[in-house]
Amino acid sequence: MTLKTVELVTAPNPTVAVIWMHGLGADGNDFVPIVKELKLEGCPAIRFVFPHAPMLEVTINGGRMMPAWYDISASEFGRDDDEDSVRSSQVDINALIEREKERGIAADKILIGGFSQGCAMTFQTGLRYPEKLGGLLCLSGYLPLEASFEAERSEANKNIPIYYGHGLEDQVIPVKRAQQTLALLQKHGYDVEWHEYDMPHSVCMEEIIDISNFLKRVLA
């Protein structure tokens, strides 16, 4: 089943797609307002695709049903993520990439990104995807399923441009957790543009400007 999405195009006949995943408990509408804040005038026409995560019972939240890319049982992020639901969401996001290719957008003009759990799914999907993608936008998250990363990472995306931002005052996913992911990626030679911000588990205007500059550079 294809995930339901919210879509926004910056101009007719887009030649670039950005698939952007929300965080735990939010939905695809969460980051729609960010598009106009990015001020992408002068860039090629972009289709932003904001998928809604499936409804899952989330153990850390007392088993309540909510939009979630995967189940978490404690706060050891990336150490206790439910592998089955991570991989199921990876399949769903891969299907969205395939749909953009069917709509005529080349794989290397498709970027994926996300916030928090959406960031984790960006790493999970983008770094394992078999064709070269255009870039990754990774906000306030971490690399899940680290144990299988070495064996599964894609040769096609070893040089993919990666924007990675995190708040120094993040009390949901501590910046130290993100720095561990950063170190692992750098160890494997990935090109990571790393940013730290004086903010909690959120997005700030400084980060929006940095994302805009990253997109303009990658799409130039």
Side-chain angles (χ1 to χ4, degrees), residues 202-216:
S202 63
V203 178
C204 63
M205 185 48 73
E206 187 187 348
E207 182 170 36
I208 289 169
I209 292 166
D210 288 337
I211 293 168
S212 173
N213 290 334
F214 174 84
L215 285 171
K216 287 171 182 169

Side-chain angles (χ1 to χ4, degrees), residues 101-112:
K101 286 161 57 182
E102 287 162 12
R103 290 160 132 183
I105 295 184
D108 65 359
K109 296 295 181 187
I110 300 170
L111 291 82
I112 62 172

Side-chain angles (χ1 to χ4, degrees), residues 135-194:
L136 304 182
L137 288 165
C138 305
L139 285 64
S140 302
Y142 58 89
L143 177 75
L145 308 191
E146 281 182 8
S148 58
F149 175 63
E150 176 74 51
E152 295 177 0
R153 66 198 188 99
S154 154
E155 185 69 17
N157 283 301
K158 68 178 185 181
N159 296 316
I160 191 168
I162 301 171
Y163 165 89
Y164 192 7
H166 210 95
L168 292 169
E169 290 131 52
D170 194 324
Q171 294 179 309
V172 177
I173 300 170
V175 69
K176 185 170 149 214
R177 179 69 190 86
Q179 288 163 344
Q180 289 166 348
T181 289
L182 174 66
L184 181 66
L185 294 173
Q186 288 174 333
K187 185 181 102 174
H188 288 300
Y190 287 97
D191 173 25
V192 185
E193 182 184 310
W194 169 255

